[in-house]
Amino acid sequence: MTLPSNYSSAPVSEFLLICFPNYQSWQHWLSLPLSLLFLLAMGANATLLVTIRLEASLHQPMYYLLSLLSLLDMVLCLTVIPKVLAIFWFDLRAISFFACFLQMFIMNSFLTMESCTFMVMAYDRYVAICHPLRYPSIITDQFVAKAAIFILARNFIFTLPIPSLSGRLYYCGRNVIENCICANMSVSRLSCDDVTVNRLYQFAGGWTLLGSDLILIFASYTLILRAVLRLKAEGAVAKALGTCGSHFILILFFSTILLVFVLTHVAKKKVPPDVPVLLNVLHHVVPAALNPIVYGVRTQEIKQGIQRLLKKGW
């Protein structure tokens, strides 16, 4: 396929997303598992949200936080995957300036919102295990509302400069993005201006937000593990670990894919350039598809709620 020229004397009005410039024959084969993962993510999260909404027994702070996580997953999937599939199936590579920077903002803000939600959920599990008698008075509906406002406000404020800094750059000719999505640096490097500020803010902001969340999550689970090991009652350790096992698995999904993605960028000279592109796409759909399944399988209350809804439906 002949790609449009990367250079022009006039400012560009849109970008072209070229997912795998070296392996474009992959796209048709990759579209099938990607579309299945997308349908699974949307269907599973929608089922989880409906179950929590309709089952009175699930109207608890822990499940409200899980609902927030499902909403974030669905928005991330809808922001990224339909456009990727449109490229794979219909060769619709063009994306307008506004749509590109809007996608950039949603990806950056909602990814950090998800990380912050995991941090709040880790605190919820810490209180449940380490201070069970005080749990009803600490983790209340008001706490969840305040936590949701904090999650939205913190990440909106700190990630808004990312698309703003990229949007103010002058794009004088190159418009081909060698990526499936409008990632900040993939777009910024096409400009004719200095992108040092963009690069520094992306690095500092990302590691400050995600890094602080991961540190607090690690601290919470360290305290949880220490408290669990002190339990003497028979079966108490297994029961305590079971209450936070699902959450810990979700964190592993999120952090493992993110870690692999970061490592491939660090060692980008040793890996094909298409590998980080693929990992970036998968990071927006794989955790979203697996998160509700893990909670649905491991949490008895959710499993029973889904079964009751299915019986009512039949």
Side-chain angles (χ1 to χ4, degrees), residues 42-184:
M42 299 304 294
N45 281 289
T47 301
L48 188 62
L49 286 171
V50 171
T51 301
I52 294 173
R53 173 67 181 84
L54 297 180
E55 286 293 316
S57 61
L58 299 179
H59 293 176
Q60 301 176 31
M62 180 178 71
Y63 300 113
Y64 293 149
L65 291 172
L66 184 57
S67 297
L68 177 59
L69 182 65
S70 289
L71 285 172
L72 295 175
D73 281 337
M74 292 179 75
V75 172
L76 277 171
C77 275
L78 288 170
T79 302
V80 173
I81 305 304
K83 180 59 180 176
V84 175
L85 292 176
I87 295 172
F88 288 177
W89 290 339
F90 310 112
D91 205 34
L92 298 177
R93 304 176 184 276
I95 185 170
S96 68
F97 259 51
F98 176 78
C100 187
F101 292 118
L102 178 62
Q103 186 189 66
M104 184 189 300
F105 170 68
I106 292 175
M107 287 189 302
N108 283 280
S109 60
F110 276 67
L111 182 66
T112 52
M113 285 180 196
E114 191 165 335
S115 172
C116 193
T117 303
F118 280 128
M119 183 264 291
V120 176
M121 293 173 74
Y123 176 71
D124 169 84
R125 292 299 85 200
Y126 160 74
V127 176
I129 299 297
C130 300
H131 304 284
L133 298 179
R134 297 176 57 195
Y135 181 84
S137 62
I138 296 176
I139 309 298
T140 62
D141 291 351
Q142 289 76 17
F143 168 82
V144 174
K146 291 176 181 178
I149 293 172
F150 169 75
I151 291 168
L152 295 172
R154 185 199 78 161
N155 297 289
F156 180 88
I157 292 170
F158 280 96
T159 57
L160 183 60
I162 293 176
S164 300
L165 288 170
S166 295
R168 60 181 280 275
L169 297 173
Y170 180 61
Y171 297 90
C172 57
R174 294 184 296 168
N175 71 330
V176 175
I177 303 172
E178 294 187 356
N179 204 331
C180 294
I181 58 179
C182 288
N184 178 32

